[in-house]
Amino acid sequence: MFVKMLPSYAGLTYFGRLFPLKQLLRSSVKKFSSDKSAAVILGIESSCDDTGCAIVNTDGVILGEALHSQRSVHLDNGGIIPPLAGELHRQCITKVVEEALVSAGLKLKNIDAIASTVKPGLPMSLRIGTEFGKYLSRIGNLPFIPIHHMEAHALTIRMTEKVDFPFLVLLISGGHCLIALAESIDHFLLLGSSMDDAPGEAFDKIARRLKLRNIPEFANLSGGAALEKAASKGTDPNRFQFMIPMTRLQDCNFSVSGIKTAAIQHTKRQERLHEIEGDQLIPDLYDFCAGVQLVLTRHLCHRTQRAMEFIDRKNLIPEGNRTLVVSGGVACNNYIAQALETVSSEMGYKFLRPVPKLCTDNGIMIAWNGVERWKANCGVLRDQKEIEKVDIDSKALFGEDWSEKVSNERISCKWVKIPDPRIRKR
Ligand code: KG4
Ligand code: ZN
């Protein structure tokens, strides 16, 4: 909020060191390029707890990148404290952008446009990247491309794989959970989304309650990554049976808060029963984690399969050309990916997910989304007055809501059998 109230030049000191002023004004300011084909885009991500910046060209080559994660601070605090996240972005945004430029061996004069995540996310976090991006656009006289964080997650795969529209995309992260049909770079049909928490958020809260951090090999991992590792050590994923959410609802929406509550209640009961105190862990921890991961996986697979049945019924993707893309931090989970791959192959879909570092939040996906929009000349702002007016939208929706259309079809499915978590794919 306070950034917005600052006069235009105050940004230079507000964002910390004077790097942009010294380094960038010394170089001559570039005029807008009229060549829409070849370009170099600088992308900034700050919607949650990662400050990312990357420089990507229109061939999808990553010229430079930098990422600063706040994870350890938030792990110490037992969760993200939004004002602290905003403050940490403010402290490191200049350094991260500088690092990305230096790693690319480029200066602002070599950049053709700035892309920043402006929605959705934590307001105080979004504000920093948005204002910094606008500031670079102003001092460099560069076009500005406002980016929707979920659109960026959805399109990342196109940087490394040939994926034509339309395709099905499942986005599962700490802040979001949705399944959509990507029709073009800026048009999505939202088939379903979470009614409550996101799966990553549930993983994080369960991992915290289980005190997985007390196990040294998990100490520095995100909750989801720690839970996946713990689950892989389980020998009986069926020992703890959870109810699969929403089995009676014939739609593609998600709900994970019931699993979270059941897991936390179980932990409390076990602690009481075994008089567990302080840093001690509950018995059968690994089997319990395997059970949590299994029920979440089944739920994600069910909703995805119904989306595929809906697409089939409405013939929304030509047969023989069907692809499921999975992205977002939770897509790093290999068991979830393995299960979704099984569903995909049974349903006649090709399965794709970006490499882990591109699944979690990063600047590369924002720069790439900028590239996609630059190539399509879609949402590239060139007028400084218009750019100044760009504001964040922390609760922005995603796509055209088709969830009721899915529900109205009353699709019942014969569920694809997913692999036993004990059998690891090589
Ligand atoms: O996409 P992301 O970096 O940030 C958001 O936009 O939320 O996702 C972070 C989330 C965290 O909740 C983290 O626990 C989860 O992704 N995550 C995982 C794994 N790695 C990260 N969840 C399950 N299994 C993993 N291996
Ligand atoms: Zn994300």
Side-chain angles (χ1 to χ4, degrees):
M1 281 247 256
F2 34 97
V3 183
K4 226 184 142 192
M5 296 182 308
L6 293 163
S8 44
Y9 276 102
L12 301 174
T13 44
Y14 179 77
F15 290 118
R17 292 174 302 127
L18 289 177
F19 162 76
L21 183 67
K22 276 203 280 179
Q23 282 255 348
L24 305 173
L25 291 189
R26 207 188 292 145
S27 53
S28 61
V29 170
K30 190 183 162 87
K31 287 271 162 259
F32 292 164
S33 162
S34 57
D35 176 9
K36 289 192 180 57
S37 51
V40 174
I41 311 291
L42 183 147
I44 299 174
E45 159 61 28
S46 75
S47 65
C48 188
D49 57 349
D50 293 302
T51 320
C53 177
I55 298 148
V56 175
N57 71 14
T58 33
D59 293 325
V61 177
I62 302 162
L63 303 173
E65 61 170 308
L67 187 67
H68 176 264
S69 169
Q70 304 174 359
R71 190 197 303 139
S72 62
V73 178
H74 298 312
L75 278 173
D76 288 345
N77 287 314
I80 297 176
I81 301 167
L84 179 60
E87 175 56 21
L88 294 173
H89 281 301
R90 188 189 70 74
Q91 283 174 15
C92 74
I93 184 90
T94 305
K95 188 166 165 284
V96 168
V97 173
E98 176 182 18
E99 259 175 48
L101 278 166
V102 168
S103 71
L106 296 175
K107 294 213 160 91
L108 194 61
K109 68 174 179 181
N110 307 116
I111 303 294
D112 291 290
I114 308 291
S116 286
T117 308
V118 304
K119 60 188 171 185
L122 300 173
M124 285 179 252
S125 296
L126 279 173
R127 179 82 63 206
I128 300 298
T130 300
E131 291 304 320
F132 198 80
K134 283 161 64 176
Y135 156 66
L136 291 180
S137 151
R138 188 170 62 243
I139 63 166
N141 192 25
L142 293 170
F144 182 71
I145 312 172
I147 300 294
H148 191 302
H149 183 81
M150 302 316 288
E151 181 182 301
H153 270 307
L155 299 180
T156 310
I157 193 75
R158 282 165 47 89
M159 193 176 87
T160 52
E161 305 276 342
K162 184 175 163 7
V163 189
D164 294 328
F165 295 109
F167 62 88
L168 182 62
V169 62
L170 171 69
L171 300 179
I172 40 179
S173 70
H176 302 273
C177 184
L178 62 87
I179 187 151
L181 184 77
E183 289 202 311
S184 67
I185 60 162
D186 69 337
H187 196 242
F188 294 81
L189 306 180
L190 183 68
L191 305 180
S193 57
S194 179
M195 303 282 95
D196 38 61
D197 297 347
E201 189 181 353
F203 273 136
D204 291 341
K205 287 189 177 145
I206 296 169
R208 198 177 310 139
R209 191 61 191 80
L210 289 170
K211 298 178 266 189
L212 291 185
R213 268 198 96 192
N214 292 348
I215 301 171
E217 64 176 304
F218 306 150
N220 298 315
L221 299 178
S222 67
L227 202 134
E228 179 182 10
K229 279 227 151 122
S232 73
K233 293 176 187 284
T235 51
D236 183 3
N238 296 308
R239 181 196 291 217
F240 298 97
Q241 301 269 349
F242 290 84
M243 291 259 289
I244 303 174
M246 298 175 103
T247 46
R248 289 214 200 106
L249 292 175
Q250 290 172 312
D251 57 27
C252 289
N253 290 326
F254 304 83
S255 171
V256 299
S257 70
I259 299 171
K260 180 190 72 185
T261 308
I264 290 173
Q265 279 171 355
H266 169 87
T267 313
K268 282 185 188 164
R269 265 197 312 274
Q270 291 292 303
E271 286 178 346
R272 258 196 318 265
L273 194 66
H274 300 279
E275 295 176 358
I276 287 168
E277 282 174 358
D279 284 353
Q280 288 175 306
L281 306 164
I282 60 165
D284 305 318
L285 177 69
Y286 294 146
D287 278 348
F288 187 69
C289 289
V292 169
Q293 181 179 258
L294 184 59
V295 69
L296 265 163
T297 306
R298 285 203 170 119
H299 180 48
L300 294 171
C301 286
H302 286 184
R303 314 324 272 183
T304 304
Q305 186 178 336
R306 182 169 286 110
M308 289 171 170
E309 305 261 10
F310 176 76
I311 286 169
D312 201 27
R313 204 176 268 199
K314 299 280 172 195
N315 204 15
L316 295 173
I317 309 179
E319 231 183 306
N321 200 18
R322 293 176 174 168
T323 301
L324 169 70
V325 170
V326 184
S327 195
V330 178
C332 295
N333 185 297
N334 287 325
Y335 179 63
I336 293 176
Q338 193 186 339
L340 287 165
E341 191 169 5
T342 302
V343 173
S344 298
S345 87
E346 289 288 317
M347 300 294 293
Y349 276 69
K350 185 174 168 187
F351 174 85
L352 289 174
R353 68 167 166 162
V355 293
K357 86 171 219 185
L358 295 179
C359 281
T360 48
D361 291 350
N362 62 82
I364 299 167
M365 69 183 198
I366 306 306
W368 172 252
N369 200 157
V371 165
E372 292 259 35
R373 284 182 165 271
W374 176 271
K375 286 198 211 166
N377 196 19
C378 168
V380 181
L381 307 179
R382 292 162 197 277
D383 175 36
Q384 273 302 324
K385 284 205 187 98
E386 215 185 324
I387 294 168
E388 271 316 304
K389 277 194 226 138
V390 173
D391 201 0
I392 60 157
D393 180 358
S394 64
K395 293 192 163 45
L397 298 174
F398 184 66
E400 192 184 323
D401 191 357
W402 272 43
S403 55
E404 229 178 281
K405 289 187 190 183
V406 177
S407 168
N408 290 342
E409 286 294 314
R410 310 226 164 280
I411 301 169
S412 56
C413 308
K414 190 174 176 303
W415 302 124
V416 169
K417 196 172 174 325
I418 60 170
D420 186 316
R422 286 165 292 196
I423 303 163
R424 309 248 132 226
K425 212 176 136 186
R426 290 188 173 273

